[in-house]
Amino acid sequence: MTTTSGSTAQPATLESVLRQIDRLLLPISIAALAVGIVAAVGGGSELAFDVWTALTVVVAGRLVVEIVDALRHGQVGVDLIAVVAMIGAVLLRESLPGAVIAVMITTGRALEDYADTRARRELAALLARSPRVVHRYGPGGLTSPPIESVIPGDRLLVKPGEVVPVDGTIVGEPAVLDESALTGESRPTTREPGDQIASGTVNAGSPFDLIALASAEGSTYAGIIRLVASAASSKAPFVRLADRFALLFLPLTFGIAGIAWLLSGDPVRALAVMVVATPCPLILAAPIAIVSGISRAAGRGIIVKGGGALESLAGASVVLFDKTGTLTSGTPTVAEVETFGSISPDELLRLAASLEQLSPHVFAGAVVRAAHERGLTLELPANVAERAGSGVTGTLSGRTIQVGQADWIAAGRSLPKQVRELGRRTALEGSSTAFVGVAGLIEGALILTDPIRTETPRALRLLRRAGIRRIVMVTGDTPAVAETVGAAIGVDAILAERAPAEKLEIVAAERADSGGIVVMVGDGINDAPSLAAADVGVAMGARGATAASEAADIVIVVDRLDRLAEAIRIARRSRRIALESVVLGIGLSVIAMIAAAFGLLPPVAGAILQELIDVAVILNALRALGGDRDQQTTVPGWAETGPALHAAHLDLRSEIRRLRLTADQLDELEPTAALGELQTTNAFLVGPLLSHERYEDQTVYPSVASAAGDDDMTAPLSRTHREIFHLIGLFGRLVDDLPASGPDDGDHRDLRRVLYSLHAILELHMAQEEELYVALGESGRDGLAVARPA
C-alpha cells in the first residue's frame, strides 16, 4: 500500500502510471492464469509452470516499484508481504500459488480503483460542472468569452440548463434554479429580480439576465471547487493509524511464518502463512471509508477539506456558535409594523417600501421584501434623497415620505409618546426601528429583527442527539440581545460582547476544560481566526463568506444549520466503518494465518480465502457512501402543502402582532373607537385565524400522524390548538357583552389579559409549527421525510 505526496509533479505522475499498469495487469493476469490451467489440464505442465512463474514475477516487479517509491517517502506497507510470498513461491517452484496471489493482487487493485472512483464521484461532479464560457452583453451584442474575463458589473445571459457562472443579481425576469448540486435540495427554487444568487446553481427555467457581482475566481462556486480540490489531498489520522496497523502486521506475519517453518520443517507452511497475510486491499479499505464519508457529505452540501477534518469532527464534544448569521438568519426582517395614526399597517409598509426601492441602506431590501410578501403594489418615488446616518426622503403621489430616525423626521419637534415607548421596548428586545413620516408627521414605525433561524432549535437538539455534550453561544452583541437569543434556543452558556481575539481565548479555554475536540461555527470575517484555532472550524458559507470559508475545515454551502448535525453523523459513521474494516480484516487474516501455520490451508486455498476477506472488507468500507438512515415518514403532497402553510402564516402574522398593539392602545382610544377595534379583532380571530387553525388540526396534523404511525409530533401542537380555541371563544364572549358605548376601565383588564395571552401563545405556536414544517419539508419533491429514531 502506498500513498504519494502530491506536493510535486513526479509522485503524481508515477501514481498515474502505476494506476494504468494496474488496469492492464488485471486482464493479463486473468488470461495468464487461464492459459496455465488449460495447459496443465492438457498435459503441458512445463508451459503452465512457465506462464504462472512469469505472471508472478511481473506482478511482483510491479509491487517492488511501488514499495521502493513508498520507502523514499518514509512509508512501509503490507505489499512487502505479498512480494515476499510471490518470491517464495517462485523459489519453492510453487508457481500456481504465486499466480493466484498475482491475480488476487491485481483484482484487489481493480476493486480499490473502482471503490475509490465511486467514493469520489460527488466531489468529481462538482469539478466537472464548472462552466468554461459565459454569454455577455456588449456593444456588439451577445458574445461568448471565457469565464475568466468576467468582471463585476457585466450583464450576462444564463440559458436554460446552464450553470450560473458567477455570483450576481437577477435582473429582468424571475429565475427558476436547481440548487441541488450545492445544497442537496431537490426542489427548484424561484428567485425574483433583485435577488442575489450564487454561482454553481443550474437554470431550471427560462433564460434570465444576471449582473455579475464578482469575478469567476471570486465567486462562490470557484471557492467551493478550491475547497473540494484540497478535500481529497490530505490523509486522515485514522488512515495513518491503518499504516501503523500495517507496521505491526509485518513482524507478526514474518514471526508466524518463521515459527511454522521452524516447527514443521516445511517452507511451504511459511509460504501459506504469507499468502493469507497479503491484505493490501484490506488496509486501503480505511481511506475508502473516509473518502466515502467526504463524498457523502459533499452530496449534502457539506464540503470537508480532508480526512483529518472528518475524523476530528467524529470525535467532537463541544460546539461554539457565533450568533449573527449562524444561529440567526443574519438578514434583517420586518417583524412588526406599528402605526400611530389613521394609516393602516399595510399602507405604511407600502409607502416605506416604495421609497426604499431606491435606497442602498442595509434595511432597504428587508422592507421591500416584506411588502412583496404581503402582495403590496409599490410606486416609483420621485425626488429621492439619502441623508447619511439619518434616513431617506422622497415624494409619492405628491406627499413627502421619510424613512429613518425619529429625531430626523421630527426636525426638532417633540417626539410623540408612542415613539418614546417604542424606542424603550426595541432597546430591551434588541431590535431595530425605522420610523416612517408622512408630510413631516411620524405615522408609525417598522420594527426589524435578525430572527432566529427556523431550524436552529431543531439543529441544536440534533447535535445533542449526535453526542455533543456542551453548546456555547459566543457573540459580539450586547448581553441583553444575546440572553434573549440564547434563552430561546437553549444553549448551555452565553458569552456576549466578545471581540475576535477573545473568541480565540474561549476556544482554548473550552478545549482545556472539556479535554475533548472543540468545534467552532461561524460565518463572518471576524469568525475566521477562531475557526482556524478550533479543532474543527465550520463555516456557514452559503453567502460566500470567503475569509471564514478559507479558514474553516468544513464549509456548509447550503444555508441550513441542521446540516452540522448531519455532518457529525456522517463523520462518526465513516470512522466507525473504517475501524471495523481494519479490525475485522486483520482479525480474519490472523485466524487464517494460524490455520495455515498448522497446515490447514495450502497456499492456493489461502490466496483465494484472503481475497474473499479483502473483497468483503472493501465492500463494507463502501457502506460509508450510504446514509445512516433513521426511519422515514412520507406525507404525500407536502411539496404543495408545506409552502402553502408557510404563506398562510406570513399572512396571519401581521394581524397576530396587532393583538398586542390593540391591547396596548385600549386605555388611549375613545370607548366607541375601542369597540370598533375590538370587533375588527374578533372578526379576524373567528374568521381567517380560526379557519386556518382548524384546517391544520383537522387535516394537516392527521395526515402527518397517519404517515408517522403515531401522533407524537403533532399531539403537543394539537393541545395548543385547544387552548387557542378556548381563548378565541372567551374573547368573543367578552366583546359580545360590551355595551354599544364601548368598554370601560373594568372591561379593559379582562380584554387585555386575553389579547396578551392570545398574542403570546399564537407567536409561540406558529414558531413551533414553522420549525416542524421546515424539518418535514427537508426531503422529497413529492413527499416529506421525517427523521425518527428507528
Side-chain angles (χ1 to χ4, degrees):
M1 179 185 68
T2 310
T3 302
T4 54
S5 170
S7 59
T8 63
Q10 177 62 26
T13 302
L14 178 59
E15 183 178 349
S16 175
V17 170
L18 293 179
R19 189 179 291 268
Q20 292 298 323
I21 291 175
D22 284 342
R23 289 171 180 168
L24 291 174
L25 278 178
L26 176 59
I28 291 173
S29 60
I30 292 175
L33 180 63
V35 168
I37 291 173
V38 171
V41 171
S45 56
E46 287 299 320
L47 175 61
F49 176 84
D50 292 340
V51 170
W52 290 337
T53 300
L55 171 61
T56 304
V57 170
V58 169
V59 174
R62 151 71 180 87
L63 291 181
V64 167
V65 172
E66 188 174 272
I67 290 171
V68 170
D69 183 66
L71 290 173
R72 287 175 49 239
H73 292 90
Q75 300 167 353
V76 180
V78 291
D79 287 339
L80 182 60
I81 299 175
V83 170
V84 172
M86 284 189 282
I87 292 174
V90 171
L91 295 177
L92 296 173
R93 299 186 62 83
E94 292 280 349
S95 59
L96 179 55
V100 171
I101 295 173
V103 171
M104 296 310 173
I105 287 291
T106 55
T107 303
R109 292 302 175 88
L111 247 175
E112 293 155 17
D113 185 52
Y114 163 76
D116 186 63
T117 301
R118 183 184 170 198
R120 297 174 188 267
R121 64 185 176 186
E122 295 284 357
L123 306 181
L126 287 174
L127 298 172
R129 294 174 63 258
S130 182
R132 300 289 185 267
V133 298
V134 297
H135 311 295
R136 182 169 61 191
Y137 293 99
L142 195 64
T143 60
S144 299
I147 190 172
E148 292 78 13
S149 67
V150 175
I151 60 174
D154 283 351
R155 184 171 182 138
L156 310 176
L157 173 69
V158 183
K159 297 181 179 180
E162 290 186 338
V163 175
V164 176
V166 296
D167 297 350
T169 302
I170 297 173
V171 292
E173 298 298 320
V176 179
L177 301 176
D178 176 2
E179 301 176 341
S180 59
L182 295 185
T183 68
E185 298 288 348
S186 60
R187 293 186 295 272
T189 57
T190 300
R191 303 297 184 188
E192 300 295 332
D195 287 353
Q196 294 183 10
I197 60 174
S199 56
T201 56
V202 176
N203 181 8
S206 302
F208 66 89
D209 289 353
L210 184 77
I211 300 296
L213 293 176
S215 65
E217 184 66 17
S219 289
T220 300
Y221 197 60
I224 292 172
I225 288 176
R226 287 193 295 272
L227 298 179
V228 170
S230 69
S233 64
S234 66
K235 192 174 184 183
F238 183 78
V239 177
R240 291 194 292 271
L241 177 61
D243 289 340
R244 291 196 291 273
F245 268 108
L247 291 176
L248 296 173
F249 198 62
L250 282 170
L252 176 65
T253 299
F254 291 131
I256 294 176
I259 292 172
W261 188 354
L262 180 64
L263 295 180
S264 67
D266 184 0
V268 176
R269 291 273 187 97
L271 175 62
V273 170
M274 287 187 289
V275 164
V276 296
T278 54
C280 181
L282 156 69
I283 300 301
L284 285 179
I288 287 173
I290 296 298
V291 173
S292 295
I294 293 174
S295 177
R296 172 158 172 74
R300 296 294 293 159
I302 306 160
I303 303 300
V304 183
K305 290 186 180 181
L310 191 76
E311 185 192 347
S312 295
L313 186 64
S317 59
V318 178
V319 178
L320 309 179
F321 282 103
D322 174 53
K323 180 181 75 69
T324 304
T326 304
L327 296 172
T328 66
S329 69
T331 303
T333 300
V334 176
E336 295 183 52
V337 180
E338 297 272 8
T339 59
F340 304 149
S342 58
I343 298 179
S344 69
D346 280 356
E347 176 63 11
L348 191 78
L349 177 60
R350 188 190 71 81
L351 293 173
S354 296
L355 186 60
E356 293 281 22
Q357 290 179 104
L358 303 184
S359 172
H361 194 274
V362 66
F363 287 165
V367 175
V368 174
R369 187 167 58 251
H372 285 316
E373 288 175 348
R374 298 191 189 192
L376 304 179
T377 301
L378 306 185
E379 300 178 47
L380 190 64
N383 305 318
V384 177
E386 187 88 19
R387 302 286 195 277
S390 298
V392 60
T393 183
T395 304
L396 289 169
S397 301
R399 294 184 295 178
T400 299
I401 309 298
Q402 296 167 287
V403 180
Q405 294 185 358
D407 291 334
W408 173 67
I409 297 174
R413 297 185 297 273
S414 61
L415 297 176
K417 176 184 176 183
Q418 300 101 313
V419 172
R420 296 194 301 271
E421 290 176 346
L422 184 60
R424 285 195 298 269
R425 194 184 98 201
T426 54
L428 290 173
E429 294 175 346
S431 54
S432 301
T433 308
F435 290 92
V436 182
V438 179
L441 298 178
I442 300 177
E443 294 288 349
L446 310 179
I447 300 174
L448 296 103
T449 63
D450 179 15
I452 296 171
R453 289 174 179 266
T454 305
E455 76 273 13
T456 293
R458 174 175 177 267
L460 268 56
R461 290 197 302 272
L462 291 175
L463 285 173
R464 296 191 191 280
R465 191 182 304 168
I468 298 301
R469 299 196 305 269
R470 179 172 166 83
I471 298 176
V472 181
M473 185 176 75
V474 186
T475 177
D477 219 330
T478 62
V481 175
E483 289 285 349
T484 300
V485 174
I489 60 178
V491 296
D492 298 311
I494 302 168
L495 304 176
E497 293 184 334
R498 302 305 171 106
E502 292 176 298
K503 291 183 179 181
L504 293 177
E505 297 173 0
I506 292 168
V507 169
E510 289 291 339
R511 183 186 293 120
D513 291 343
S514 68
I517 291 175
V518 175
V519 178
M520 176 69 197
V521 188
D523 79 319
I525 293 175
N526 63 326
D527 298 319
S530 51
L531 291 177
D535 297 304
V536 182
V538 180
M540 301 295 294
R543 297 187 181 94
T546 305
S549 297
E550 294 294 340
D553 303 294
I554 296 171
V555 181
I556 300 177
V557 297
V558 52
D559 197 23
R560 291 197 58 86
L561 187 61
D562 47 12
R563 293 294 169 89
L564 176 60
E566 187 171 355
I568 292 175
R569 290 199 304 270
I570 290 172
R572 290 184 172 169
R573 184 170 189 268
S574 299
R575 192 183 191 282
R576 184 178 69 248
I577 290 174
L579 182 60
E580 288 173 358
S581 299
V582 170
V583 172
L584 177 64
I586 288 184
L588 292 175
S589 294
V590 169
I591 293 173
M593 288 161 57
I594 294 172
F598 282 98
L600 302 177
L601 273 178
V604 174
I608 296 174
L609 176 62
Q610 180 56 63
E611 187 59 21
L612 291 175
I613 294 173
D614 292 341
V615 169
V617 173
I618 289 175
L619 293 177
N620 179 68
L622 283 174
R623 289 194 301 117
L625 280 172
D628 195 8
R629 294 287 185 183
D630 291 328
Q631 181 181 339
Q632 298 292 304
T633 302
T634 301
V635 177
W638 192 261
E640 295 77 29
T641 303
L645 290 170
H646 177 68
H649 282 182
L650 288 177
D651 292 338
L652 294 171
R653 271 196 155 153
S654 60
E655 292 298 324
I656 290 173
R657 288 172 181 139
R658 282 187 61 80
L659 298 177
R660 185 176 69 180
L661 180 61
T662 299
D664 291 342
Q665 293 178 339
L666 278 180
D667 288 333
E668 301 171 5
L669 295 174
E670 292 293 329
T672 53
L675 178 61
E677 182 69 22
L678 292 169
Q679 290 172 338
T680 300
T681 299
N682 189 51
F684 161 71
L685 292 174
V686 300
L689 180 66
L690 192 59
S691 175
H692 173 79
E693 300 298 334
R694 281 178 173 163
Y695 167 71
E696 288 181 318
D697 201 63
Q698 297 171 7
T699 303
V700 177
Y701 292 0
S703 297
V704 174
S706 174
D710 56 53
D711 62 353
D712 286 350
M713 288 181 288
T714 59
L717 296 175
S718 190
R719 285 195 294 273
T720 305
H721 273 162
R722 305 280 85 75
E723 181 62 18
I724 292 171
F725 298 157
H726 165 70
L727 290 173
I728 289 175
L730 178 58
F731 182 78
R733 290 192 296 274
L734 290 173
V735 173
D736 290 341
D737 289 343
L738 293 175
S741 59
D744 57 23
D745 291 342
D747 298 319
H748 289 171
R749 183 182 64 256
D750 292 335
L751 289 166
R752 271 199 300 266
R753 177 175 59 82
V754 177
L755 285 172
Y756 285 142
S757 297
L758 271 170
H759 175 265
I761 196 171
L762 285 168
E763 286 283 1
L764 177 61
H765 177 65
M766 285 203 168
Q768 291 171 331
E769 285 186 326
E770 281 293 308
E771 181 185 338
L772 174 65
Y773 295 162
V774 167
L776 300 187
E778 254 289 89
S779 67
R781 182 189 302 271
D782 301 317
L784 136 82
V786 185
R788 297 170 52 78

